[in-house]
Amino acid sequence: MERTSDSQTFVEKQVNMLQSNPGCATAKYNLGVMLLQQGRLDEAKILFEEAIADGTRMFEAYVNLGYIYFKEGNLEKVEECNRRAVQIEPRYARGYANLGFVYLEMARTDDAIEALQKAIELNPRIVQAWCNLANAYLQKGDVERAVETNQKVLEIAPDFALGHHNLAYVYYLKGDMEKAAGHLRRAIDLGFEVHPDFLKEMEPYLSQ
């Protein structure tokens, strides 16, 4: 109840700020974040666009816009927003991680690897960037590097269910069923919902 009250107070403060200063980019951005958290994407999008319309260097606004465009299925705009974010703030790891993800979605594997490596260089503990980098290596056909990269994911986050699932899959591709089964069991124990086809394929090894 208190958290809801705090949120309402925050929103009212931003609205009042905009009433007294309609051009306040910070208030528009802050209000946009609140609306984004509430799932009101169309309203948030308008506020983020207004926040950056005057050339304000709000790189977070671009990243949030990128998220909304991703939900809309517009990958080109996702790329554009995140590229603008890292142009404004070249040390923004999340922007590079997002670029890597969208390049994967666009099957631009080499671009994805470059962006994800940059994200990890800036922040070596971005688990999702490591996961996507492993997927990029797999997309490129480099199973060995996919194994190494997925192992790095689990060094950072030992109980990351997706990491165990992904490592199980690459060991499966290598034909190492013992290791594949071990990591798949761990993923299942951690609550990961394995695709039925993969689960059926691995059933004989999971019971050993």
Side-chain angles (χ1 to χ4, degrees):
M1 183 70 73
E2 183 179 345
R3 185 173 299 176
T4 301
S5 177
D6 289 344
S7 298
Q8 290 173 342
T9 301
F10 180 82
V11 169
E12 289 171 4
K13 182 179 179 181
Q14 305 310 311
V15 171
N16 290 337
M17 193 178 298
L18 284 174
Q19 287 175 344
S20 60
N21 181 8
C24 181
T26 300
K28 290 177 181 178
Y29 170 77
N30 290 338
L31 191 53
V33 170
M34 292 296 297
L35 294 172
L36 184 62
Q37 292 171 349
Q38 295 171 9
R40 296 161 64 180
L41 303 188
D42 290 341
E43 295 168 82
K45 181 180 179 182
I46 291 170
L47 286 165
F48 290 138
E49 288 175 338
E50 289 180 355
I52 60 176
D54 63 353
T56 303
R57 295 170 62 82
M58 285 188 172
F59 55 91
E60 298 98 332
Y62 281 100
V63 167
N64 287 329
L65 266 177
Y67 170 77
I68 295 172
Y69 281 122
F70 176 73
K71 299 296 282 186
E72 294 176 352
N74 191 337
L75 298 183
E76 288 75 16
K77 292 295 287 186
V78 178
E79 177 193 3
E80 179 183 322
C81 287
N82 283 283
R83 183 156 295 285
R84 181 66 182 129
V86 298
Q87 287 172 347
I88 294 170
E89 178 45 76
R91 297 194 59 77
Y92 190 43
R94 182 183 167 197
Y96 286 105
N98 290 347
L99 277 172
F101 171 75
V102 75
Y103 287 145
L104 263 183
E105 293 290 300
M106 300 166 89
R108 292 169 56 181
T109 311
D110 290 336
D111 289 333
I113 290 171
E114 182 180 354
L116 292 164
Q117 286 176 337
K118 181 64 175 178
I120 289 165
E121 175 189 328
L122 293 169
N123 183 354
R125 300 195 66 80
I126 299 183
V127 172
Q128 199 57 53
W130 283 104
C131 277
N132 286 330
L133 182 59
N135 290 337
Y137 287 134
L138 197 57
Q139 196 175 85
K140 201 174 175 67
D142 192 339
V143 177
E144 291 298 333
R145 294 196 76 174
V147 169
E148 293 170 6
T149 309
N150 276 305
Q151 287 172 334
K152 183 65 178 179
V153 171
L154 295 179
E155 287 177 19
I156 298 169
D159 294 329
F160 187 44
L162 177 61
H164 283 284
H165 171 271
N166 290 352
L167 193 50
Y169 183 68
V170 290
Y171 277 131
Y172 162 78
L173 293 178
K174 280 174 61 69
D176 191 335
M177 297 307 184
E178 182 179 351
K179 288 182 179 177
H183 284 286
L184 193 59
R185 286 192 204 96
R186 183 61 180 143
I188 293 168
D189 289 344
L190 290 166
F192 191 86
E193 294 187 14
V194 182
H195 192 283
D197 291 344
F198 186 37
L199 194 58
K200 184 177 181 180
E201 188 76 19
M202 289 297 298
E203 270 180 7
Y205 308 98
L206 290 171
S207 59
Q208 291 178 5

